[in-house]
Amino acid sequence: MWDSISRAHGAIESLHVSFNGASPESFRENQRGGELHRLLANMEFIASLRNSGAIPRLTIGFYVRDNNFREMRDIVLIAKRFGVDQILFGHLMPPPYMTEQSPEYRA
């Protein structure tokens, strides 16, 4: 895949990767069936690009939810492991029409 966008390599200033979970369970739930082990394998490749200078800046996004707030420390360790420049923590707020009684509600 990386080679298929070779003409764009010089234009890449940063890469942002969304984790939203540092355990297989929360990642799968928050990334709609995503597999953490696949993302970690991809991060090995991304980190090699970062280390070679092909990607000048690497950030991670992590939306804090009720099923992953205890994993914030773990995501910091993951970020250190891959040489991430910044972690952006956010909090998803439910839409105004959703109440705590709504099946989709999650703090």
PDB file of all heavy atoms in Angstrom, residues 3-4 12 19 26 28 35 37 45 52 55 72 85 107:
ATOM      1  N   ASP A   3       3.842   1.790  -1.101  1.00  0.00           N
ATOM      2  CA  ASP A   3       4.468   2.004  -2.407  1.00  0.00           C
ATOM      3  C   ASP A   3       3.473   2.521  -3.439  1.00  0.00           C
ATOM      4  O   ASP A   3       3.855   3.234  -4.361  1.00  0.00           O
ATOM      5  CB  ASP A   3       5.119   0.719  -2.907  1.00  0.00           C
ATOM      6  CG  ASP A   3       6.322   0.321  -2.061  1.00  0.00           C
ATOM      7  OD1 ASP A   3       6.928   1.211  -1.442  1.00  0.00           O
ATOM      8  OD2 ASP A   3       6.623  -0.885  -2.004  1.00  0.00           O
ATOM      9  N   SER A   4       2.216   2.190  -3.290  1.00  0.00           N
ATOM     10  CA  SER A   4       1.214   2.607  -4.265  1.00  0.00           C
ATOM     11  C   SER A   4       0.933   4.114  -4.207  1.00  0.00           C
ATOM     12  O   SER A   4       0.341   4.661  -5.130  1.00  0.00           O
ATOM     13  CB  SER A   4      -0.086   1.828  -4.078  1.00  0.00           C
ATOM     14  OG  SER A   4      -0.730   2.208  -2.877  1.00  0.00           O
ATOM     15  N   ILE A  12       3.451  14.264   2.696  1.00  0.00           N
ATOM     16  CA  ILE A  12       2.921  13.820   3.990  1.00  0.00           C
ATOM     17  C   ILE A  12       3.640  14.565   5.104  1.00  0.00           C
ATOM     18  O   ILE A  12       4.859  14.488   5.238  1.00  0.00           O
ATOM     19  CB  ILE A  12       3.086  12.295   4.159  1.00  0.00           C
ATOM     20  CG1 ILE A  12       2.244  11.581   3.105  1.00  0.00           C
ATOM     21  CG2 ILE A  12       2.690  11.858   5.570  1.00  0.00           C
ATOM     22  CD1 ILE A  12       2.467  10.089   3.044  1.00  0.00           C
ATOM     23  N   PHE A  19      -6.930   4.958  17.966  1.00  0.00           N
ATOM     24  CA  PHE A  19      -6.900   3.717  18.737  1.00  0.00           C
ATOM     25  C   PHE A  19      -8.232   3.472  19.438  1.00  0.00           C
ATOM     26  O   PHE A  19      -8.862   2.460  19.232  1.00  0.00           O
ATOM     27  CB  PHE A  19      -5.764   3.746  19.771  1.00  0.00           C
ATOM     28  CG  PHE A  19      -4.500   3.087  19.287  1.00  0.00           C
ATOM     29  CD1 PHE A  19      -3.656   3.754  18.426  1.00  0.00           C
ATOM     30  CD2 PHE A  19      -4.167   1.824  19.693  1.00  0.00           C
ATOM     31  CE1 PHE A  19      -2.490   3.163  17.971  1.00  0.00           C
ATOM     32  CE2 PHE A  19      -3.005   1.204  19.246  1.00  0.00           C
ATOM     33  CZ  PHE A  19      -2.165   1.884  18.384  1.00  0.00           C
ATOM     34  N   SER A  26     -11.973  -3.634  24.268  1.00  0.00           N
ATOM     35  CA  SER A  26     -12.472  -2.272  24.063  1.00  0.00           C
ATOM     36  C   SER A  26     -12.198  -1.793  22.649  1.00  0.00           C
ATOM     37  O   SER A  26     -13.015  -1.106  22.043  1.00  0.00           O
ATOM     38  CB  SER A  26     -11.873  -1.301  25.087  1.00  0.00           C
ATOM     39  OG  SER A  26     -10.474  -1.176  24.908  1.00  0.00           O
ATOM     40  N   ARG A  28     -12.101  -3.626  19.907  1.00  0.00           N
ATOM     41  CA  ARG A  28     -13.080  -4.285  19.040  1.00  0.00           C
ATOM     42  C   ARG A  28     -14.435  -3.590  19.142  1.00  0.00           C
ATOM     43  O   ARG A  28     -15.098  -3.341  18.139  1.00  0.00           O
ATOM     44  CB  ARG A  28     -13.215  -5.760  19.402  1.00  0.00           C
ATOM     45  CG  ARG A  28     -14.129  -6.554  18.476  1.00  0.00           C
ATOM     46  CD  ARG A  28     -14.185  -8.042  18.834  1.00  0.00           C
ATOM     47  NE  ARG A  28     -12.875  -8.641  18.948  1.00  0.00           N
ATOM     48  CZ  ARG A  28     -12.319  -9.049  20.102  1.00  0.00           C
ATOM     49  NH1 ARG A  28     -12.980  -8.934  21.240  1.00  0.00           N
ATOM     50  NH2 ARG A  28     -11.122  -9.580  20.128  1.00  0.00           N
ATOM     51  N   GLU A  35      -9.489  -5.232  15.055  1.00  0.00           N
ATOM     52  CA  GLU A  35      -8.622  -6.131  15.799  1.00  0.00           C
ATOM     53  C   GLU A  35      -7.353  -5.393  16.215  1.00  0.00           C
ATOM     54  O   GLU A  35      -6.584  -4.939  15.355  1.00  0.00           O
ATOM     55  CB  GLU A  35      -8.269  -7.355  14.956  1.00  0.00           C
ATOM     56  CG  GLU A  35      -9.482  -8.210  14.587  1.00  0.00           C
ATOM     57  CD  GLU A  35     -10.114  -8.886  15.790  1.00  0.00           C
ATOM     58  OE1 GLU A  35      -9.416  -9.129  16.796  1.00  0.00           O
ATOM     59  OE2 GLU A  35     -11.322  -9.184  15.726  1.00  0.00           O
ATOM     60  N   HIS A  37      -4.574  -6.420  17.476  1.00  0.00           N
ATOM     61  CA  HIS A  37      -3.318  -7.035  17.049  1.00  0.00           C
ATOM     62  C   HIS A  37      -2.952  -6.618  15.620  1.00  0.00           C
ATOM     63  O   HIS A  37      -1.771  -6.457  15.302  1.00  0.00           O
ATOM     64  CB  HIS A  37      -3.362  -8.565  17.182  1.00  0.00           C
ATOM     65  CG  HIS A  37      -4.283  -9.241  16.223  1.00  0.00           C
ATOM     66  ND1 HIS A  37      -3.866  -9.702  14.994  1.00  0.00           N
ATOM     67  CD2 HIS A  37      -5.611  -9.522  16.305  1.00  0.00           C
ATOM     68  CE1 HIS A  37      -4.895 -10.236  14.357  1.00  0.00           C
ATOM     69  NE2 HIS A  37      -5.966 -10.142  15.126  1.00  0.00           N
ATOM     70  N   PHE A  45       5.101  -1.049  11.186  1.00  0.00           N
ATOM     71  CA  PHE A  45       5.468  -0.499   9.889  1.00  0.00           C
ATOM     72  C   PHE A  45       5.454   1.029   9.916  1.00  0.00           C
ATOM     73  O   PHE A  45       6.388   1.683   9.433  1.00  0.00           O
ATOM     74  CB  PHE A  45       4.523  -1.016   8.805  1.00  0.00           C
ATOM     75  CG  PHE A  45       4.782  -0.414   7.460  1.00  0.00           C
ATOM     76  CD1 PHE A  45       5.939  -0.713   6.764  1.00  0.00           C
ATOM     77  CD2 PHE A  45       3.866   0.448   6.893  1.00  0.00           C
ATOM     78  CE1 PHE A  45       6.189  -0.157   5.517  1.00  0.00           C
ATOM     79  CE2 PHE A  45       4.102   1.011   5.646  1.00  0.00           C
ATOM     80  CZ  PHE A  45       5.270   0.708   4.961  1.00  0.00           C
ATOM     81  N   SER A  52      12.448   6.538   9.837  1.00  0.00           N
ATOM     82  CA  SER A  52      13.238   6.844   8.639  1.00  0.00           C
ATOM     83  C   SER A  52      13.038   8.284   8.167  1.00  0.00           C
ATOM     84  O   SER A  52      13.732   8.727   7.259  1.00  0.00           O
ATOM     85  CB  SER A  52      12.860   5.887   7.503  1.00  0.00           C
ATOM     86  OG  SER A  52      11.577   6.223   6.975  1.00  0.00           O
ATOM     87  N   ILE A  55       7.622   9.885   7.613  1.00  0.00           N
ATOM     88  CA  ILE A  55       6.469  10.513   8.261  1.00  0.00           C
ATOM     89  C   ILE A  55       7.027  11.430   9.348  1.00  0.00           C
ATOM     90  O   ILE A  55       7.518  10.954  10.378  1.00  0.00           O
ATOM     91  CB  ILE A  55       5.525   9.458   8.883  1.00  0.00           C
ATOM     92  CG1 ILE A  55       4.934   8.564   7.790  1.00  0.00           C
ATOM     93  CG2 ILE A  55       4.420  10.129   9.679  1.00  0.00           C
ATOM     94  CD1 ILE A  55       4.109   7.427   8.309  1.00  0.00           C
ATOM     95  N   MET A  72      -5.970   4.396  29.658  1.00  0.00           N
ATOM     96  CA  MET A  72      -5.226   5.589  29.243  1.00  0.00           C
ATOM     97  C   MET A  72      -3.723   5.417  29.481  1.00  0.00           C
ATOM     98  O   MET A  72      -2.911   5.807  28.646  1.00  0.00           O
ATOM     99  CB  MET A  72      -5.781   6.831  29.936  1.00  0.00           C
ATOM    100  CG  MET A  72      -7.183   7.174  29.459  1.00  0.00           C
ATOM    101  SD  MET A  72      -7.980   8.478  30.413  1.00  0.00           S
ATOM    102  CE  MET A  72      -7.051   9.896  29.866  1.00  0.00           C
ATOM    103  N   ASP A  85       4.513  11.148  18.605  1.00  0.00           N
ATOM    104  CA  ASP A  85       4.801  12.517  19.040  1.00  0.00           C
ATOM    105  C   ASP A  85       3.763  13.076  20.004  1.00  0.00           C
ATOM    106  O   ASP A  85       4.094  13.880  20.874  1.00  0.00           O
ATOM    107  CB  ASP A  85       4.877  13.447  17.819  1.00  0.00           C
ATOM    108  CG  ASP A  85       6.012  13.069  16.906  1.00  0.00           C
ATOM    109  OD1 ASP A  85       7.171  13.140  17.341  1.00  0.00           O
ATOM    110  OD2 ASP A  85       5.736  12.684  15.752  1.00  0.00           O
ATOM    111  N   ALA A 107     -21.361   6.797  28.600  1.00  0.00           N
ATOM    112  CA  ALA A 107     -20.696   7.999  29.111  1.00  0.00           C
ATOM    113  C   ALA A 107     -19.318   8.141  28.528  1.00  0.00           C
ATOM    114  O   ALA A 107     -18.688   7.198  28.153  1.00  0.00           O
ATOM    115  CB  ALA A 107     -20.610   7.933  30.627  1.00  0.00           C
TER     116      ALA A 107
END
